[in-house]
Amino acid sequence: MTNFGKALRRFREKKGFYLKNVSDIMGWSVVYLSDIERGNRKPPSKNDIIKLAKFLDVDFNLLLNLSDKDKGYIELDLKGLNKNHSDTALSLARQMEHLGDDQWEKIKEILKKRRLEEDG
């Protein structure tokens, strides 16, 4: 998938929903939703994306990843994290452009292992 809007349209149409169905659930105008799907507006907030994913029965991580790529930034919610975790997340975010490929591979392996543990 190339971007958030195209993916959203594809998932919506796959479920057989019209723009009106989704816009009513989200509390948006049809024009606003159409603009998002056509790429004329940036993707909505993280919370709205999670709500959309539930309604469309798709993995919210996929939609969030596409949204973050389209926006060019990641929404990082630090509420509820302990100081060590939030400090580490902020450090990673600030240093990511300075990490080498080998360091990124190590981080990916850690995250992959963690995801496999979660999936059980």
Side-chain angles (χ1 to χ4, degrees):
M1 276 178 244
T2 56
N3 66 37
F4 179 84
K6 287 180 183 179
L8 179 57
R9 175 178 286 153
R10 194 181 90 176
F11 291 134
R12 176 182 58 77
E13 290 175 345
K14 187 176 178 182
K15 285 290 188 180
F17 294 136
Y18 295 101
L19 285 166
K20 179 96 172 100
N21 302 124
V22 176
S23 63
D24 284 349
I25 290 294
M26 297 303 298
W28 300 336
S29 72
V30 170
V31 172
Y32 176 73
L33 178 57
S34 176
D35 281 349
I36 291 171
E37 286 188 353
R38 290 183 288 128
N40 294 335
R41 289 187 188 245
K42 294 229 182 259
S45 70
K46 178 181 176 181
N47 289 337
D48 282 342
I49 291 171
I50 291 169
K51 185 176 177 181
L52 272 171
K54 286 180 184 176
F55 179 67
L56 297 172
D57 193 29
V58 297
D59 179 13
F60 71 89
N61 284 305
L62 172 62
L63 288 180
L64 284 174
N65 288 345
L66 290 170
S67 169
D68 292 342
K69 286 179 184 176
D70 281 2
K71 289 177 182 177
Y73 62 86
I74 297 169
E75 290 183 51
L76 185 60
D77 186 359
L78 301 175
K79 288 181 237 133
L81 294 180
N82 69 39
K83 184 174 178 359
N84 184 41
H85 293 172
S86 62
D87 288 351
T88 302
L90 290 171
S91 293
L92 177 60
R94 289 190 182 110
Q95 295 298 318
M96 61 188 205
E97 66 188 42
H98 304 292
L99 297 176
D101 289 343
D102 57 327
Q103 293 166 312
W104 280 112
E105 286 303 317
K106 288 177 186 176
I107 293 168
K108 280 174 42 179
E109 284 301 314
I110 291 168
L111 296 174
K112 183 179 178 182
K113 183 178 178 182
R114 175 72 178 125
R115 183 154 192 144
L116 289 173
E117 290 170 359
E118 285 178 358
D119 293 343

